[in-house]
């Protein structure tokens, strides 16, 4: 980026993908060591309706080889994605609830794909959400999980969170159709370890395509490995709120652009460090370990939503002026917006 020239290690520095129309509205990009995933977001005109027609492509950026291509269908939209490892990617699929004649048997899901299975591979595992009543649907999916780099001369930090023990944040916006009107519900946020998606489950799935099978994982087999929260996800692209075993977020104080900062640590050994804190800590601490049965959105779900994953909650006593908050392995970053013509942003570490 400093020279404006292609990366010297990239054999083919430009990636290409076939599109239904010669344009894309926007894209989301994720990088994991030698892999790059691009989710192209677009729409097509079908039966006088504009329908999402997103396409996900994954490449080995050094060689330029495509490893996976997932196009949307008329019933199923590829909505979001994140890398779970150097061999796996997690993809969120949702249904087009507003299209007439939609196949109600197609359910929203979180699918795990293995790059070794080929460009047009079927998912190796499909994780189902809690069962919902027929009038309910998933409006939006959002997955957030940081990438664990491979230590090298360019990345000298010796210790990182194990790739299969990172925290993954899945936010799901729900809607319910009542009397012909769609009502948007509060978002549901699930926090869980990436190994929940990577471990093996007893095969319960059906064959999806000749010679290829997908293991179906119902909610009751993986829901108890999660923590459900009512947190709202920051809308800004400048927010990086998950890193390793920690999640960071803003807590409103009632004063505009002033927030307390809350860090949630899912390291099971983090609680032991509380005893060694100095006499007058600048933050409050709370260990959340209750095996809570959530009543949140229970008018939508038709089965129990039980999420007992524990964590340590650390909240600052003072407030900070910030628009966004970000996190890496060693630092917390606050982003402030200057009220000027250029609307420049100040980064405070």
């Amino acid at each position: 980026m400093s020279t404006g020239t292609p990366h010297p290690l990239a054999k083919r520095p430009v990636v290409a993908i076939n599109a239904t129309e010669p344009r894309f509205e926007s894209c989301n990009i994720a990088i994991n060591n030698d892999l790059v995933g691009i989710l192209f977001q677009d729409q097509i005109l079908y039966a006088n309706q504009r329908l999402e027609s997103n396409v996900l492509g994954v490449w080995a950026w050094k060689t330029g080889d495509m490893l996976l291509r997932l196009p949307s269908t008329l019933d199923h939209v590829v909505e979001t994605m994140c890398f779970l490892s150097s061999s796996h990617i997690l993809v969120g699929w949702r249904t087009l609830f507003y299209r007439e004649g939609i196949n109600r048997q197609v359910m929203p899901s979180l699918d795990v794909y293995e790059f070794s299975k080929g460009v047009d591979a079927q998912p190796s595992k499909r994780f189902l959400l809690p069962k919902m009543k027929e009038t309910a649907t998933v409006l939006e999916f959002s997955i957030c999980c940081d990438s664990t780099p491979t230590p090298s001369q360019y990345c000298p930090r010796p210790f990182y969170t194990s790739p299969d023990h990172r925290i993954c944040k899945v936010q799901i916006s729900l809607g319910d159709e009542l009397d012909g009107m769609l009502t948007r519900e509060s978002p549901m946020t699930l926090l869980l370890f990436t190994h929940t998606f990577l471990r093996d489950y007893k095969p319960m799935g059906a064959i999806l395509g000749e010679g290829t099978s997908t293991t179906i994982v119902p909610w009751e087999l993986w829901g108890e490995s999660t923590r459900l929260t009512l947190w709202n996800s920051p809308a800004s692209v400048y927010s990086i709120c998950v890193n390793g075993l920690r999640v960071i977020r803003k807590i409103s104080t009632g004063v505009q652009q002033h927030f307390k900062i809350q860090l949630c640590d899912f390291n099971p050994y983090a609680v032991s460090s509380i005893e060694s804190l100095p006499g007058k800590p600048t933050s409050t601490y709370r260990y959340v370990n209750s095996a809570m049965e959530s009543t949140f959105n229970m008018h939508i779900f038709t089965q129990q939503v039980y999420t007992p994953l524990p964590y340590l909650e650390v909240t600052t006593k003072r407030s900070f002026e910030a628009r966004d908050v970000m996190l890496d392995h060693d630092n917390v970053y606050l982003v402030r917006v200057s009220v000027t013509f250029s609307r420049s942003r100040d980064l405070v570490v």
Side-chain angles (χ1 to χ4, degrees):
M1 293 182 68
S2 61
T3 64
T5 59
H7 197 290
L9 297 181
K11 184 177 180 180
R12 295 196 298 269
V14 177
V15 298
I17 189 169
N18 293 328
T20 54
E21 293 185 6
R23 66 176 182 83
F24 282 107
E25 292 188 342
S26 62
C27 64
N28 290 331
I29 302 175
I31 298 174
N32 184 50
N33 293 316
D34 293 343
L35 304 177
V36 57
I38 306 178
L39 178 61
F40 297 94
Q41 299 171 324
D42 199 10
Q43 294 183 342
I44 61 172
L45 187 64
Y46 176 82
N48 295 322
Q49 289 181 292
R50 296 207 67 85
L51 305 179
E52 284 114 322
S53 182
N54 303 343
V55 180
L56 171 63
V58 179
W59 290 265
W61 64 265
K62 290 183 179 179
T63 63
D65 296 331
M66 175 173 271
L67 305 179
L68 184 69
R69 183 181 187 275
L70 297 177
S72 300
T73 68
L74 290 179
D75 294 321
H76 228 186
V77 177
V78 54
E79 175 86 353
T80 183
M81 53 87 182
C82 75
F83 287 105
L84 295 176
S85 73
S86 58
S87 305
H88 303 82
I89 192 170
L90 179 67
V91 178
W93 293 87
R94 65 174 176 83
T95 55
L96 289 172
F97 63 94
Y98 49 81
R99 186 176 75 80
E100 294 183 4
I102 187 173
N103 183 3
R104 288 287 182 177
Q105 300 301 314
V106 178
M107 302 297 294
S109 63
L110 295 165
D111 292 2
V112 177
Y113 292 84
E114 299 181 33
F115 303 129
S116 61
K117 300 295 180 65
V119 175
D120 300 316
Q122 297 291 338
S124 58
K125 289 186 282 286
R126 172 163 292 170
F127 291 81
L128 302 182
L129 303 178
K131 294 178 182 177
M132 298 181 290
K133 61 183 184 179
E134 290 187 358
T135 57
T137 189
V138 172
L139 301 179
E140 295 175 356
F141 259 135
S142 176
I143 305 174
C144 183
C145 184
D146 78 302
S147 298
T148 300
T150 300
S152 66
Q153 60 176 328
Y154 306 106
C155 188
R157 194 178 192 273
F159 300 108
Y160 289 94
T161 304
S162 172
D164 60 348
H165 281 79
R166 293 169 295 144
I167 282 294
C168 182
K169 181 177 75 72
V170 180
Q171 185 169 40
I172 307 166
S173 296
L174 301 170
D176 192 13
E177 188 175 354
L178 299 173
D179 299 326
M181 297 291 293
L182 185 66
T183 302
R184 182 180 287 268
E185 304 291 335
S186 299
M188 177 179 76
T189 301
L190 296 173
L191 298 158
L192 65 159
F193 290 110
T194 49
H195 63 66
T196 300
F197 295 116
L198 294 172
R199 70 183 184 213
D200 293 329
Y201 293 86
K202 182 179 179 180
M204 298 178 62
I207 299 297
L208 299 179
E210 184 178 353
T212 305
S213 63
T214 296
T215 299
I216 305 299
V217 186
W219 169 257
E220 50 267 26
L221 290 186
W222 68 284
E224 293 191 10
S225 300
T226 70
R227 166 64 63 174
L228 183 146
T229 76
L230 310 183
W231 302 344
N232 288 323
S233 176
S236 172
V237 296
Y238 298 98
S239 294
I240 304 172
C241 57
V242 179
N243 188 276
L245 293 169
R246 300 174 299 171
V247 179
I248 198 167
R249 68 192 193 102
K250 302 179 299 185
I251 305 295
S252 176
T253 62
V255 179
Q256 187 175 10
Q257 297 295 326
H258 283 75
F259 302 91
K260 292 184 177 181
I261 307 302
Q262 185 175 92
L263 183 75
C264 300
D265 194 339
F266 286 82
N267 186 336
Y269 301 104
V271 66
S272 62
S273 64
I274 297 179
E275 300 175 356
S276 61
L277 291 173
K280 293 183 179 180
T282 58
S283 303
T284 59
Y285 297 80
R286 184 171 73 103
Y287 187 57
V288 182
N289 63 345
S290 58
M292 176 186 66
E293 177 183 350
S294 176
T295 58
F296 170 66
N297 279 339
M298 286 311 294
H299 64 287
I300 287 183
F301 298 123
T302 59
Q303 71 177 114
Q304 184 186 54
V305 179
Y306 181 73
T307 61
L309 189 66
Y311 64 94
L312 176 65
E313 186 180 273
V314 184
T315 309
T316 62
K317 291 183 177 180
R318 59 164 290 196
S319 62
F320 298 86
E321 181 182 358
R323 177 183 178 124
D324 296 295
V325 59
M326 304 188 295
L327 176 71
D328 68 10
H329 295 281
D330 302 305
N331 303 296
V332 171
Y333 302 87
L334 304 181
V335 180
R336 296 191 303 219
V337 177
S338 301
V339 184
T340 63
F341 177 78
S342 63
R343 293 188 61 83
S344 61
R345 289 176 169 81
D346 298 327
L347 186 64
V348 181
V349 183

